[in-house]
Amino acid sequence: GLSIPLIIAVIIGMALVVFADSIAWTFFEEPGLAPILIVRSSFIPINIFIAVLTSVMEGFKEFKKNALAQFFLQSLTKLVLTVALAFTGLTALKAMVAHSISVLVVALVLIYLVHQLFPLTKSCNVARRNYREMFRFSLPIYGSNLIGLLGSQLQTILVGMLGSITGVGIFVVAARVNIMGEVVHQGINTTTMPFVSELYDRGDKQQLGHFYQLITKWILAFNLPNFLIILLFSKPVLSIFGEEFIAGSAVLIILACSRLVDAATGINSVMISMSGNTWLNTVNSLII
């Protein structure tokens, strides 16, 4: 579970470091992006390591410790470092360095927490190896996640190729503001996975149905205020980042509408995955 993703991540990270200059110039015509890309690419294996350890924590239902490490500790570390660097003249490269250090801190904390749950020094020779079952379940999830990730990044790349670097900045800020509702949705998705799996395994479809309806109402209830705020105050919200970002108000409203529709579907992707039909999520991601 650790070795395969890490090997792939190291290969991808090295490739991005080697071709950083070409990517910065070809896609964005901005050579200054190359150093930032090199720093970010160097930390891809650590990010993958965090993703795997996070999944282990979720499997043990240690959501509180996981959230404290990944959201509170990382955000606090990033904030402290960014403020400290701001006194020396904050640049995009320095901000990326602060982000990378916070990622490293979270990785070390997660290693300690997982080791407390399951000794990482334990011999793998006694492990049960269900490779076929593992890959049959996980490969469609990998495909779905990869398609979803590339799809969101493709928008940014296209704006950079067909528009301007200023347009990229406005689009990214609008997408980041809209991500507040997505964070709630993804957080609930993560915490419900073990419970949906347990109910499905017991064959308690009636309770599973009630659980799905209840969680969907919660997700929609959390996202509706966020949607209304963006709908009514999109320009004032974007003006916080600077007057030039107000041009992205229509973009922000469109993204907020799509987020509300997604919230209304509840935990459908969790229901599909935890019932073993992961390939359906891959098909859905392709269509999207």
Side-chain angles (χ1 to χ4, degrees), residues 81-143:
L81 289 171
T82 303
V83 170
L85 289 170
F87 288 104
T88 63
L90 187 62
T91 63
L93 182 59
K94 288 182 179 180
M96 185 57 69
V97 170
H99 171 78
S100 301
I101 293 172
S102 69
V103 167
L104 185 60
V105 170
V106 170
L108 294 172
V109 171
L110 283 175
I111 289 171
Y112 172 77
L113 292 174
V114 170
H115 184 68
Q116 298 299 308
L117 292 169
F118 181 86
L120 296 176
T121 53
K122 193 173 183 178
S123 174
C124 291
N125 294 327
V126 295
R128 190 170 68 242
R129 293 176 172 84
N130 296 327
Y131 292 121
R132 181 177 296 179
E133 185 180 350
M134 183 177 72
F135 280 107
R136 183 177 60 82
F137 181 85
S138 61
L139 283 178
I141 294 178
Y142 169 74

Side-chain angles (χ1 to χ4, degrees), residues 2 31 48 90 140 156:
L2 280 170
I48 297 302
L90 187 62
T156 307

Side-chain angles (χ1 to χ4, degrees), residues 10-238:
V10 168
I11 293 170
I12 293 173
M14 289 174 63
L16 287 173
V17 168
V18 171
F19 296 104
D21 290 321
S22 300
I23 293 170
W25 178 253
T26 302
F27 289 111
F28 298 103
E29 298 183 356
E30 184 60 54
L33 284 176
I36 302 171
L37 185 61
I38 289 172
V39 173
R40 187 71 183 89
S41 302
S42 301
F43 276 79
I44 287 177
I46 298 175
N47 277 277
I48 297 302
F49 194 63
I50 289 174
V52 177
L53 294 178
T54 297
S55 297
V56 173
M57 295 287 288
E58 291 164 0
F60 280 101
K61 298 183 181 179
E62 291 286 351
F63 302 113
K64 188 182 293 185
K65 292 179 181 178
N66 198 16
L68 285 171
Q70 199 171 7
F71 300 113
F72 176 75
L73 181 61
Q74 183 173 356
S75 299
L76 182 63
T77 307
K78 194 187 302 182
L79 178 64
V80 170
L81 289 171
T82 303
V83 170
L85 289 170
F87 288 104
T88 63
L90 187 62
T91 63
L93 182 59
K94 288 182 179 180
M96 185 57 69
V97 170
H99 171 78
S100 301
I101 293 172
S102 69
V103 167
L104 185 60
V105 170
V106 170
L108 294 172
V109 171
L110 283 175
I111 289 171
Y112 172 77
L113 292 174
V114 170
H115 184 68
Q116 298 299 308
L117 292 169
F118 181 86
L120 296 176
T121 53
K122 193 173 183 178
S123 174
C124 291
N125 294 327
V126 295
R128 190 170 68 242
R129 293 176 172 84
N130 296 327
Y131 292 121
R132 181 177 296 179
E133 185 180 350
M134 183 177 72
F135 280 107
R136 183 177 60 82
F137 181 85
S138 61
L139 283 178
I141 294 178
Y142 169 74
S144 178
N145 290 343
L146 184 64
I147 293 165
L149 181 65
L150 291 176
S152 61
Q153 299 303 319
L154 183 63
Q155 292 175 313
T156 307
I157 292 171
L158 284 174
V159 172
M161 291 175 65
L162 304 176
S164 64
I165 197 70
T166 305
V168 172
I170 293 172
F171 177 79
V172 169
V173 166
R176 287 297 178 185
V177 171
N178 188 57
I179 209 170
M180 288 188 292
E182 185 178 347
V183 167
V184 174
H185 195 168
Q186 290 299 324
I188 293 176
N189 276 351
T190 300
T191 54
T192 55
M193 281 183 180
F195 299 100
V196 171
S197 179
E198 190 175 327
L199 288 170
Y200 180 80
D201 191 50
R202 291 207 314 247
D204 194 347
K205 292 186 178 181
Q206 185 176 1
Q207 185 63 32
L208 190 58
H210 290 316
F211 184 74
Y212 174 77
Q213 292 171 354
L214 179 64
I215 297 299
T216 300
K217 289 176 184 176
W218 285 356
I219 294 172
L220 193 57
F222 278 118
N223 275 269
L224 192 56
N226 182 63
F227 169 75
L228 292 174
I229 290 170
I230 289 175
L231 188 66
L232 298 173
F233 305 107
S234 59
K235 291 183 179 180
V237 168
L238 288 174

